[in-house]
């Protein structure tokens, strides 16, 4: 049959396409065999050796490949819908554009019963896909629990609704992959590339995302609270957020650029904007009480007179940002970066645009800056009463004329810091 299939592939006389549908071939050796476009649907191929074989375009619908060795095998555009591949070895295998979705099986009725369909889910549990090429493969809804995909190329793969619990996917390329509503609980994505991937509604409880690249990834409805995102690039453009947030930002930019003649001041109180990239934007005067801006990219942004009381600003990057006159009362800036930032006072101007001689100081009372970096930050005249600078780096920072009553500097780096005189306890 294999010889005739080879002749069929070469369009020679006497050739016939290999038809091994529903055949029991458990444990057979197909190493290096060319079964391109072969028919193997429903075949029992458990424990078979397909190392370096060619199964491109093959029909493997609902085939049993349990613990089969497909290392280095080409499965380009193969039909693997509903296949059973539990514990299979697919190291360095080529699965580009392969279809690994679940599949429907038609069953015949018995004793007067009608015909119907059974939906068979692809079972890839515990399979080894290390260094496999899976670009644009379709694994939607597949069971990939405990699989190993370290170093695999899954760019553009369709994996919506797939189960990837406890999967090992270190350094896996998932750029532009569709991972909507995936169960990624406990998955190891350390160093993985997820640029522009769609993770909407995905479950990432206990996931390891250390040093992962999620630039441009869609994360609506994703709870990252239980995930390890140390060193991860989670910058998200405004386009990845809700329409309400996008409209509020756009309206605020118009309000700023027209001096209030058009647009409206942004009201983003309580909004979840974690990991947003607003580098260099002007949100001066915006109301963002209790906003979530954890790990946000706010470098060189303008937030003058902004309302940010009780905001979650942990690990956010405010390098070079201007927050003069902002209200940050009881905000959490633990681990935030504010090197060279300005958080001082502003001159209050009259209706004619001229300075009135009065100053409006930034309010940082009760703020938490534990472990934050404020190198050469300008906090002149700011109200820092009760502020916690435990372990913060304030080297070269300017705190002249600031109110530091009850502020805590335990373990802080105050090298070259300009501090005001100690408050008079009798004052």
């Amino acid at each position: 049959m294999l010889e005739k299939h080879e002749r069929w592939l070469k369009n020679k006389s006497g050739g016939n396409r290999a038809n091994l549908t529903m055949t029991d071939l458990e444990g057979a050796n197909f190493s290096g065999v060319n079964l391109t476009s072969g028919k193997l649907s429903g075949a029992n191929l458990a424990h078979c050796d397909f190392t370096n074989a060619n199964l491109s375009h093959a029909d493997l619908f609902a085939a049993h490949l349990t613990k089969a060795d497909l290392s280095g095998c080409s499965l380009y555009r193969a039909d693997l819908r509903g296949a059973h591949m539990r514990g299979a070895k697919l190291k360095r295998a080529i699965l580009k554009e392969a279809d690994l979705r679940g599949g429907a099986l038609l069953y015949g009725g018995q004793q007067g019963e009608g015909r119907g369909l059974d939906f068979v889910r692809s079972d890839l549990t515990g399979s080894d896909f290390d260094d496999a090429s899976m670009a644009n493969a379709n694994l939607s809804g597949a069971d990939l629990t405990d699989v190993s995909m370290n170093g695999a190329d899954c760019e553009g793969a369709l994996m919506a609704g797939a189960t990837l619990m406890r999967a090992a996917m270190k350094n896996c390329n998932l750029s532009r992959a569709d991972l909507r509503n995936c169960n990624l609980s406990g998955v190891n994505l350390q160093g993985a590339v997820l640029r522009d991937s769609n993770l909407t509604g995905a479950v990432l409880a206990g996931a390891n995302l250390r040093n992962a690249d999620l630039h441009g990834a869609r994360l609506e409805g994703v709870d990252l609270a239980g995930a390890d995102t140390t060193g991860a690039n989670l910058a998200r453009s405004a386009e990845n957020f809700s329409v309400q947030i996008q409209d509020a930002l756009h309206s605020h930019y118009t309000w700023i650029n027209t001096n209030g003649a058009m647009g409206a001041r942004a009201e983003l109180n309580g909004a979840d904007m974690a990991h947003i990239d607003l580098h260099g934007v002007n949100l001066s005067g915006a109301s963002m009480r209790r906003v979530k801006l954890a790990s946000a990219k706010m470098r060189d942004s303008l937030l003058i007179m902004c309302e940010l009381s009780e905001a979650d600003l942990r690990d956010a990057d405010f390098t070079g940002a201007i927050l003069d006159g902002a209200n940050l009362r009881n905000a959490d800036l633990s681990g935030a970066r504010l090197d060279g930032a300005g958080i001082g006072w502003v001159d209050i101007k009259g209706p004619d645009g001229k300075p009135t001689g009065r100053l409006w100081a930034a309010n940082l009372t009760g703020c938490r800056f534990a472990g934050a970096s404020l190198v050469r930050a300008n906090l002149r005249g700011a109200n820092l009463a009760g502020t916690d600078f435990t372990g913060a780096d304030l080297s070269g920072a300017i705190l002249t004329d600031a109110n530091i009553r009850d502020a805590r500097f335990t373990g802080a780096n105050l090298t070259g810091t300009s501090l005001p005189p100690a408050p008079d306890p009798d004052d």
Side-chain angles (χ1 to χ4, degrees):
M1 184 181 287
L2 292 172
E3 289 175 1
K4 288 183 177 180
H5 185 73
E6 190 73 29
R7 296 181 69 83
W8 177 77
L9 289 171
K10 296 178 179 178
N11 291 318
K12 291 184 177 181
S13 61
N16 280 306
R17 181 184 182 187
N19 188 351
L20 296 165
T21 301
M22 304 300 292
T23 307
D24 187 355
L25 295 160
E26 183 171 355
N29 184 0
F30 290 98
S31 179
V33 166
N34 187 353
L35 271 168
T36 301
S37 300
K39 298 175 71 175
L40 298 105
S41 59
N44 182 8
L45 304 168
H47 302 280
C48 282
D49 184 355
F50 281 101
T51 54
N52 302 312
N54 191 346
L55 290 167
S56 300
H57 299 277
D59 179 3
L60 289 152
F61 184 92
H64 291 264
L65 287 155
T66 304
K67 295 188 178 179
D69 190 348
L70 295 129
S71 301
C73 178
S74 176
L75 290 153
Y76 173 71
R77 284 198 172 181
D79 185 354
L80 287 153
R81 287 174 298 160
H84 298 264
M85 302 176 74
R86 186 182 288 259
K89 296 178 182 177
L90 293 114
K91 282 181 178 289
R92 303 178 307 282
I94 299 171
L95 292 119
K96 290 182 179 178
E97 299 180 36
D99 194 343
L100 294 111
R101 293 173 296 168
L105 286 174
L106 182 69
Y107 63 87
Q110 294 181 356
Q111 298 178 353
E113 294 180 4
R115 294 162 66 85
L117 291 174
D118 272 339
F119 187 82
V120 183
R121 192 181 189 195
S122 295
D123 185 358
L124 309 171
T125 307
S127 298
D128 185 349
F129 290 93
D130 286 354
D131 300 313
S133 297
M134 305 175 73
N136 301 312
N138 194 336
L139 297 109
S140 302
D143 189 350
L144 293 150
T145 303
D146 294 317
V147 299
S148 183
M149 284 187 174
N150 297 314
D153 181 6
C154 299
E155 183 173 356
L158 303 176
M159 305 170 82
T163 300
L164 286 147
M165 292 176 62
R166 301 181 300 277
M169 303 177 77
K170 291 177 65 175
N171 303 312
C172 184
N173 180 14
L174 290 156
S175 301
R176 299 186 298 101
D178 185 354
L179 295 156
R180 287 173 299 162
N181 301 311
C182 272
N183 187 344
L184 294 157
S185 302
V187 69
N188 186 353
L189 284 161
Q190 183 173 342
V193 179
L194 293 120
R195 294 180 73 91
D196 301 313
S197 61
N198 191 346
L199 284 155
T200 303
V203 178
L204 284 161
N208 181 358
L209 289 162
R210 295 176 69 92
N211 301 315
D213 183 359
L214 289 104
H215 184 81
R218 300 194 63 169
L219 296 161
E220 287 89 342
V222 177
D223 185 2
L224 292 164
D228 184 353
T229 58
T230 306
N233 179 4
L234 279 162
R236 303 163 63 194
S237 64
E239 288 74 21
N240 289 326
F241 289 81
S242 67
V243 174
Q244 290 83 356
I245 289 176
Q246 293 183 54
D247 288 346
L249 292 172
H250 179 74
S251 186
H252 188 84
Y253 301 156
T254 304
W255 183 69
I256 290 287
N257 293 329
T258 63
N259 292 319
M262 298 174 66
R265 177 192 185 202
E267 296 282 346
L268 292 163
N269 299 317
D272 187 351
M273 298 162 65
H275 305 286
I276 196 169
D277 187 349
L278 291 173
H279 175 97
V281 302
N282 189 344
L283 276 170
S284 297
S287 180
M288 297 191 286
R289 186 181 297 108
R290 296 186 304 279
V291 72
K292 293 181 181 178
L293 281 168
S295 300
K297 305 293 186 288
M298 308 292 292
R299 295 174 69 95
D300 301 316
S301 57
L302 293 176
L303 298 157
I304 300 167
M305 301 292 286
C306 200
E307 171 58 61
L308 286 160
S309 58
E310 301 178 35
D312 181 359
L313 308 172
R314 291 171 298 164
D315 301 310
D317 186 357
F318 286 95
T319 302
I322 305 298
L323 295 107
D324 291 340
N327 181 16
L328 289 148
R329 181 177 55 84
N330 293 327
D332 190 351
L333 291 112
S334 301
R337 195 169 194 87
L338 297 108
D339 299 341
I343 323 174
W345 50 39
V346 293
D347 290 321
I348 298 177
K349 297 180 180 179
D352 56 0
K354 295 181 180 180
T356 62
R358 293 183 296 140
L359 301 174
W360 187 279
N363 182 8
L364 288 85
T365 56
C367 275
R368 291 174 291 283
F369 285 96
S373 179
L374 295 105
V375 177
R376 295 185 300 279
N378 187 350
L379 293 96
R380 183 171 185 176
N383 187 353
L384 304 173
T387 301
D388 183 4
F389 288 106
T390 301
D393 187 354
L394 287 153
S395 52
I398 300 172
L399 278 70
T400 310
D401 299 318
N403 174 14
I404 59 170
R405 182 178 295 278
D406 299 323
R408 296 183 293 281
F409 294 94
T410 307
N413 182 359
L414 299 174
T415 305
T417 305
S418 300
L419 290 166
D424 186 348
D426 297 325
D427 185 1

